[in-house]
Amino acid sequence: MMARFWSTPGLPHKGWSYAGVEDLEEPTGECEMCGNEQVRYIHLLSHEEVDHDIRTGCVCAEKLVEGYVRPRRVEQGLRGRALRRDRWLTRAWRRSRKGNPYLRASGRVVTIFLKGSKWGFSVIIGEDKTFGPRTFATEEEAQLAAFEYLNPIDLKVLGAPV
């Protein structure tokens, strides 16, 4: 169990700034403020008087960041994104004449192809046929990378004060 910072002398209890959120995909995290050990979404907070960020659950984040009353909304948005990510692989990926899996998403065609037997799988998205030089060990990893590219986490859209 980590330190419970609420009882740490000299640690500010107000004036923290929101630095981001991390989805652990399972409730395996721990809030550094209260010690709750079943946190899935870790809210990262910073303070000018403290030389490191702290990792909290949403309830403690609400208390530490003035005016930050939306961590639950941020978490709901992240949960929805996680569900879409899980369904991404089960979508009906079609096969091109060359045997490459492809699918239309967000108005663009996403194609996965083997980039030489030694290099791994690559991704092409849209008309410009670019995604980057990255290769992935499996077709599934390439598909998930395409999802991440098409669905970046935008904390402003989720309601976080960034």
Side-chain angles (χ1 to χ4, degrees):
M1 180 184 274
M2 296 186 98
R4 295 181 183 201
F5 289 149
W6 283 118
S7 58
T8 301
L11 188 80
H13 290 182
K14 293 288 180 198
W16 289 83
S17 298
Y18 192 76
V21 65
E22 182 181 344
D23 180 358
L24 302 179
E25 297 184 10
E26 296 289 331
T28 56
E30 183 174 352
C31 176
E32 292 180 339
M33 287 304 289
C34 69
N36 180 359
E37 296 177 346
Q38 296 186 352
V39 179
R40 174 177 173 167
Y41 298 98
I42 298 289
H43 298 264
L44 305 171
L45 308 178
S46 62
H47 196 283
E48 61 186 29
E49 297 174 16
V50 180
D51 63 354
H52 64 281
D53 289 351
I54 60 169
R55 302 164 54 84
T56 71
C58 70
V59 173
C60 289
E62 286 176 348
K63 294 175 182 176
L64 293 166
V65 179
E66 287 184 35
Y68 182 44
V69 294
R70 295 170 283 209
R72 291 188 199 284
R73 181 174 165 202
V74 171
E75 288 185 13
Q76 286 172 345
L78 289 172
R79 278 191 192 94
R81 183 182 183 280
L83 290 171
R84 288 191 308 279
R85 186 177 188 273
D86 290 344
R87 287 191 305 264
W88 179 257
L89 296 175
T90 63
R91 290 184 65 175
W93 288 78
R94 302 170 92 187
R95 293 281 171 177
S96 69
R97 281 183 243 130
K98 294 181 180 181
N100 297 321
Y102 74 95
L103 127 83
R104 183 169 295 278
S106 301
R108 295 185 266 185
V109 176
V110 177
T111 307
I112 309 297
F113 65 97
L114 188 60
K115 193 173 183 176
S117 61
K118 297 177 185 174
W119 297 99
F121 293 89
S122 281
V123 180
I124 295 175
I125 297 178
E127 299 283 324
D128 59 3
K129 308 251 186 251
T130 60
F131 178 65
R134 293 185 58 197
T135 57
F136 305 90
T138 66
E139 188 175 304
E140 183 178 288
E141 285 178 25
Q143 289 171 332
L144 289 173
F147 175 85
E148 297 296 334
Y149 178 82
L150 292 170
N151 300 279
I153 295 175
D154 186 348
L155 294 175
K156 280 186 179 177
V157 169
L158 296 174
V162 288

